[in-house]
Amino acid sequence: MTTMATASTTERVSRAPSWVPVVAWGLGLVGIALGAAGVVGVQADGLSRTLGVLAVVQGVAALAWGAASLALGRTPLPRAAAAGAAASVAVAVALLATAPGRAGVFAIMTVILLGVAVACGVVRGTRRPSRRTSLWTLGAAAAVVTVVVVPALGVCQGAALLDADGTVLPVVTHEGH
């Protein structure tokens, strides 16, 4: 009787597929870049700065969660992870109401895509735990995320440098200093 009671109270270990932490890192990187563009952008206002700070915090949390997930070999805090991914999507959509957000539409779409993928992967791992981590799957996920994230990061820089007339300010290199 005691064994049955312990088995029913013991929580099943949640293991999301091995690609989920890598996608979370991509989500975190683009979230941080979008947040930075919202905070320091040429056209930044109070709303974009507030949303930018939220995006940076969520991005850092996604990076930390992805690292913890790979280090532990399981999905830590699955409900919080799914909620955090959904919140990242909500903040990204809210950034569309700001000038830096409208300039970074591709980056916002990337956050939406990656956030949905992370949330679905976490939920899948909760319902049907993945058995093992595959190095091939991690490598493929890293390649795909890189192909998607790098252009989104470039868009974020353009969003930060967008001038009021719609042109992008040049980046001064300060050569010779």
Side-chain angles (χ1 to χ4, degrees):
M1 186 75 119
T2 352
T3 328
M4 187 180 257
T6 357
S8 65
T9 59
T10 304
E11 189 175 316
R12 251 186 358 173
V13 174
S14 175
R15 283 192 183 93
S18 56
W19 53 265
V20 174
V22 177
V23 174
W25 287 341
L27 173 66
L29 289 172
V30 178
I32 290 169
L34 266 175
V39 171
V40 301
V42 174
Q43 291 188 14
D45 57 0
L47 177 63
S48 69
R49 286 190 177 101
T50 302
L51 292 171
V53 169
L54 287 173
V56 168
V57 169
Q58 289 171 335
V60 170
L63 291 174
W65 180 87
S69 180
L70 284 177
L72 296 172
R74 63 179 177 80
T75 305
L77 306 168
R79 288 182 183 167
S88 293
V89 169
V91 169
V93 169
L95 271 168
L96 283 172
T98 67
R102 284 190 300 274
V105 172
F106 178 74
I108 290 173
M109 293 305 297
T110 302
V111 167
I112 292 169
L113 172 76
L114 297 176
V116 168
V118 168
C120 289
V122 168
V123 169
R124 179 181 178 264
T126 303
R127 293 184 179 167
R128 200 168 32 133
S130 183
R131 291 191 179 96
R132 62 187 174 113
T133 300
S134 166
L135 187 59
W136 291 107
T137 305
L138 285 173
V144 169
V145 167
T146 300
V147 166
V148 172
V149 167
V150 169
L153 294 175
V155 169
C156 291
Q157 180 181 7
L161 298 173
L162 184 70
D163 200 6
D165 63 359
T167 60
V168 177
L169 298 174
V171 177
V172 180
T173 61
H174 300 290
E175 291 178 23
H177 285 85

